[in-house]
Amino acid sequence: MKILDHKIDFVLLISVNNANPNGDPLNGNRPRQNFDGYGEISDVAIKRKIRNRLIDMGENVFIQSNDKNVDGFKSLKERVESVEELQEVSKGKSKDADRYAKIASKTWIDVRSFGQVFAFKGQDLSVGVRGPVSIHTAVSVNPIDINSMQITKSVNSITGDKKGSDTMGTKHRVDFGVYVVKGSINTQLAEKTEFTYEDAEKIKEAIRTLFENDASSARPDGSMEVLKLYWWEHNSKLGQYSSAKVHRALKIKSKTAVPKSIKDYEFNLTPLEGLKVDEINGL
């Protein structure tokens, strides 16, 4: 398969309707919000969803969440120890970090995409892999409104005389918002991890279908949607334009002070000479 030989930039547009796109555990699981009131979704949360989609697509993924564990290993160390080639390198005399990184990248698509640090107790060799796919924290186009409601339980947690109907917590949601995710794929790092053009296409499809099989009580089916994916492919390794300039080519403007639907936004894409762009709709 062909190693990726041209730079790629992308922008993803996400809509949120009465959902909590990414709760902050240090703030009562309220939707993340910056100091200016704009909503945020961490890059870690976005990568988690991409990994989940890659698993659904049948790809071999290193960082598997408990509810998406498909190989039965109970820890990352167990997963590493299942690869004989990695054990030979880590326990051998040479302790070749580059070979270790190359084997790990070949084995798992998320390692050769996002990178990974391999440092485990009892292992003499520590290896860091830098991946070519970088993703920004998603930020909403407008400041978000967060609504909260108390939730109660209607059954006793343990056997007892007292009837259970006491308050047990709070749920938070964003009424409506459009979030922007920016990202790039670097060819220099792609060469090191042997990230291919086919891998880039798989990442593209995972992003396009980001919220498939992602429903939860905080994010019911249909509450989060991929609106559009803009995918720019340069004609060289370094690219004709900087990623910042490419990302700025997309202008998003709200037509009302408090947008309530996608119809309240205008999207304008400025063409960049010699740069191919695909406008891909979500599911």
Side-chain angles (χ1 to χ4, degrees), residues 21-22 31-34 38-42 137-140 144 179:
N22 186 206
R32 296 180 189 270
Q33 199 172 21
N34 64 23
Y38 292 84
E40 294 184 329
I41 304 174
S42 73
T137 294
V139 181
S140 64
I144 58 172
Y179 289 68

Side-chain angles (χ1 to χ4, degrees), residues 160-210:
D161 295 330
K162 185 178 178 181
K163 184 179 179 181
S165 185
D166 52 319
T167 298
M168 63 174 289
T170 308
K171 287 189 72 172
H172 311 282
R173 71 176 189 270
V174 174
D175 287 341
F176 179 79
V178 171
Y179 289 68
V180 181
V181 185
K182 300 175 182 178
S184 301
I185 305 180
N186 179 284
T187 54
Q188 185 178 19
L189 294 175
E191 290 177 353
K192 291 185 177 182
T193 66
E194 298 186 1
F195 181 91
T196 67
Y197 184 78
E198 289 77 10
D199 290 331
E201 289 296 303
K202 291 172 184 176
I203 294 292
K204 181 201 285 189
E205 179 62 15
I207 293 173
R208 187 185 74 85
T209 60
L210 197 63

Side-chain angles (χ1 to χ4, degrees), residues 212-247:
E212 287 300 294
N213 298 329
D214 186 58
S216 71
S217 62
R219 303 180 304 277
D221 262 332
S223 63
M224 296 190 66
E225 180 185 10
V226 170
L227 298 172
K228 195 176 285 286
L229 171 62
Y230 295 87
W231 189 268
W232 290 270
E233 296 194 14
H234 298 251
N235 60 17
S236 64
K237 289 185 176 181
L238 294 178
Q240 301 102 294
Y241 306 93
S242 69
S243 294
K245 185 169 184 177
V246 173
H247 293 154

